């Protein structure tokens, strides 16, 4: 009987991978923007046409690439981010699989213009449908310029099922906002069909939130800041009065990476319990900093799901930090606002034994003892005769007036 199992060609494998990594134009924008951040860019510009199906252009002023790197960057599993499997559990970069550029190039016509600082000329590399089309010297500024044209042109079945241009435009804008909120130190620009949409200068975190979301949120931001041995949490939450029924102003980041978690979101909503209507949702922009070895971002190809080694503890930290911030506004009671010598937020751990403070009482306390009596107070055994307070010009007192 003939053998039936065979290896897929690289081109087919890359096209299949593209269905998971870059399943829509917004995914291309996300991957390319994150590559620009990893390259140390201070300015990133994004332009798209026809919802990203016709063109996606990403320009950055990062470190650029050599001619050899520019060619190898489109090979599957080629990356500069990691060298061993252990590096996956101590990541300080966005990308690490080496799949994004190979997947994009497999389903589009890609042109890369790049130059490193110190090189006299740059390099222009062209890849069409996963096939190397050529490489030549070119004049260009330091950094990288990616042109992704005709996305899924060689996979017509996939191209037919792409979202409408308006829907794709909204998805691209959403991905742009997430990356911009995560990197306030970087300037970003977004163009739709060559028309400007965003022009974000480098700013503080609060300034970036206002620039991205809108000025209406400025007066509703409450700062969150908590530091524990497990995680540090910072950022901003919205005032309870500003909660909305439909709210898209909800962002969670861990180690500079956007992620989704219904479990950790419940920690935030629990802190707002009974402060907002059940049908409303608060705004939040929370940034977690955790030891990279305590999280796993290699869960989903799009890297929006993250596994936490201390998930229950992180839930408690987020809930306590949000409650503390709300308490400072008077929304929930809190006795002591003094940050001097603040006690670390406790974390409940299964099997651990915790010591509770002993209750203190004064058995000698008696409120009816003579030393508690005010000597200036009136004698309760004498009938009240009015107040001896002078009034008027005649020198009379209130008691004289009462006596008639």
């Amino acid at each position: 009987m003939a053998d039936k199992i065979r290896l897929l060609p690289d081109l087919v494998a890359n096209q299949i991978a593209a269905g998971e990594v870059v399943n829509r134009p917004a995914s291309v924008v996300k991957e390319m923007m994150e590559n620009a951040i990893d390259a140390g860019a201070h300015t990133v510009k994004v332009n798209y046409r026809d919802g990203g199906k016709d063109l996606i252009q990403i320009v950055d002023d990062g470190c650029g690439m050599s001619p050899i790197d520019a060619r190898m960057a489109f090979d599957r599993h080629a990356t500069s981010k990691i060298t061993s499997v252990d590096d996956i559990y101590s990541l300080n970069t966005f990308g690490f699989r080496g799949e994004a550029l190979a997947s994009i190039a497999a389903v589009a016509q890609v042109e890369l213009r790049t130059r490193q600082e110190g090189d006299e000329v740059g390099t222009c590399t062209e890849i069409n449908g996963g096939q190397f089309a050529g490489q030549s010297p070119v004049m260009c500024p330091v950094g990288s310029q990616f042109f992704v044209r005709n996305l899924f042109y060689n996979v017509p079945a996939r191209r037919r099922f792409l979202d409408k241009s308006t829907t794709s435009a909204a998805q691209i804008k959403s991905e742009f906002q997430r990356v911009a909120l995560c990197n306030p130190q970087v300037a970003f620009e977004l163009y739709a069909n060559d028309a400007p949409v965003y022009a974000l200068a480098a700013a503080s975190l609060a300034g970036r939130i206002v620039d991205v979301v809108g000025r209406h949120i400025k007066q509703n931001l409450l700062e969150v800041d908590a530091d524990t041995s497990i995680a540090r949490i910072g950022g901003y939450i919205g005032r309870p009065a500003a909660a909305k029924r439909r709210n898209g102003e909800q962002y969670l980041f861990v180690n500079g990476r956007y992620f989704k978690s219904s479990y950790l979101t419940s920690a935030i909503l629990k802190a707002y319990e009974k402060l907002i209507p059940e049908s409303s949702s608060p705004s939040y922009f929370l940034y977690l900093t955790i030891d990279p070895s305590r999280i796993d971002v290699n869960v989903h190809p799009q890297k929006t799901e993250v596994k936490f080694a201390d998930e229950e503890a992180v839930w408690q930290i987020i809930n306590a930090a949000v409650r503390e911030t709300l308490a400072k506004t008077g929304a929930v009671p809190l006795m002591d606002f003094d940050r001097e010598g603040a006690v670390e937020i406790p974390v409940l751990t299964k099997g651990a034994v915790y010591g509770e403070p002993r209750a203190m009482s004064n058995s000698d306390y008696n409120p009816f003892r003579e030393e508690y009596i005010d000597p200036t107070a009136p004698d309760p055994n004498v009938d009240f005769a009015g107040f001896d307070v002078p009034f008027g010009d005649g020198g009379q007192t209130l008691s004289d007036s009462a006596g008639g």
Side-chain angles (χ1 to χ4, degrees):
M1 195 169 180
D3 298 330
K4 296 181 179 180
I5 296 177
R6 61 182 61 86
L7 290 175
L8 288 174
D10 288 342
L11 178 58
V12 177
N14 287 337
Q15 289 179 343
I16 293 173
E20 296 181 345
V21 180
V22 289
N23 57 347
R24 57 189 184 183
S27 302
V28 176
V29 172
K30 171 184 178 293
E31 296 290 346
M32 305 292 269
M33 289 183 70
E34 290 180 346
N35 280 346
I37 301 300
D38 285 341
H42 297 93
T43 302
V44 180
K45 300 179 182 179
V46 180
N47 180 37
Y48 66 90
R49 297 174 186 164
D50 190 20
K53 290 186 289 185
D54 182 35
L55 171 69
I56 296 175
Q57 179 182 0
I58 311 289
V59 179
D60 69 68
D61 60 353
C63 62
M65 288 183 255
S66 68
I68 295 177
D69 286 346
R71 173 63 187 91
M72 287 190 62
F74 295 98
D75 290 337
R76 195 177 185 194
H77 304 313
T79 179
S80 62
K81 314 298 174 58
I82 64 173
T83 57
S84 67
V85 69
D86 294 333
D87 294 339
I88 297 177
Y89 302 101
S90 58
L91 287 172
N92 294 306
T93 59
F94 291 108
F96 57 90
R97 289 195 183 99
E99 290 181 329
L101 287 182
S103 299
I104 294 169
V107 294
Q109 297 171 319
V110 180
E111 177 184 338
L112 166 61
R113 298 186 179 190
T114 183
R115 181 168 73 89
Q116 292 179 314
E117 187 174 2
D119 292 347
E120 293 184 1
V121 296
T123 303
C124 178
T125 305
E126 296 182 41
I127 308 288
N128 294 328
Q131 301 293 330
F132 178 72
Q135 189 175 68
S136 59
V138 67
M139 295 300 297
C140 63
V142 174
S144 298
Q145 303 177 27
F146 283 92
F147 301 84
V148 180
R149 298 183 174 93
N150 302 320
L151 188 63
F152 294 116
Y153 80 102
N154 56 346
V155 190
R158 176 62 60 83
R159 188 174 175 88
R160 280 197 302 269
F161 287 99
L162 287 177
D163 295 317
K164 295 180 180 179
S165 296
T166 53
T167 303
S168 293
Q171 294 167 348
I172 290 173
K173 181 179 178 181
S174 179
E175 292 291 355
F176 177 90
Q177 290 174 331
R178 292 170 182 174
V179 178
L181 286 170
C182 207
N183 300 275
Q185 77 284 359
V186 179
F188 292 94
E189 295 180 21
L190 176 64
Y191 297 84
N193 300 312
D194 303 318
V197 178
Y198 278 112
L200 307 175
S204 63
L205 178 56
R208 176 56 56 86
I209 293 173
V210 172
D211 291 341
V212 170
V213 177
R215 293 188 177 276
H216 69 275
I217 202 172
K218 185 175 183 180
Q219 60 186 1
N220 295 320
L221 291 178
L222 303 173
E223 186 174 8
V224 178
D225 188 10
D227 197 358
T228 74
S229 58
I230 293 177
R232 185 184 186 283
I233 178 171
Y236 296 86
I237 59 175
R239 296 182 184 275
K244 304 174 184 177
R245 179 165 296 182
R246 293 183 179 180
N247 198 341
E249 302 163 0
Q250 299 172 325
Y251 297 88
L252 284 174
F253 302 92
V254 59
N255 294 353
R257 184 189 303 274
Y258 172 82
F259 75 101
K260 298 177 181 178
S261 172
S262 57
Y263 178 69
L264 296 183
T265 297
S266 68
I268 302 170
L269 299 180
K270 184 70 175 178
Y272 279 88
E273 194 173 33
K274 298 182 180 180
L275 300 179
I276 61 176
E278 292 184 1
S279 59
S280 298
S281 299
S283 301
Y284 53 82
F285 308 82
L286 296 181
Y287 299 74
L288 280 70
T289 303
I290 299 177
D291 182 355
S293 65
R294 305 296 295 172
I295 64 174
D296 183 7
V297 300
N298 192 28
V299 178
H300 190 273
Q302 296 181 7
K303 299 187 284 289
T304 56
E305 297 179 18
V306 177
K307 293 293 185 182
F308 294 81
D310 309 294
E311 192 172 49
E312 293 183 6
V314 174
W315 191 101
Q316 296 173 56
I317 293 169
I318 292 176
N319 179 260
V322 173
R323 282 186 58 84
E324 181 183 23
T325 298
L326 291 173
K328 293 178 182 179
T329 69
V332 293
L334 186 68
M335 297 300 295
D336 187 8
F337 306 119
D338 187 7
R339 300 296 298 174
E340 291 291 334
V343 179
E344 182 181 348
I345 297 173
V347 175
L348 179 63
T349 304
K350 292 182 180 179
V353 179
Y354 298 92
E356 298 182 2
R358 296 179 58 187
M360 303 296 292
S361 64
N362 184 0
S363 59
D364 295 331
Y365 176 71
N366 183 355
F368 300 103
R369 291 168 60 179
E370 292 185 0
E371 55 263 34
Y372 289 106
I373 299 176
D374 184 0
T376 63
D379 189 344
N381 299 317
V382 178
D383 294 336
F384 178 70
F387 296 101
D388 293 331
V389 180
F391 74 99
D393 296 331
Q396 291 181 310
T397 65
L398 288 178
S399 59
D400 294 337
S401 175

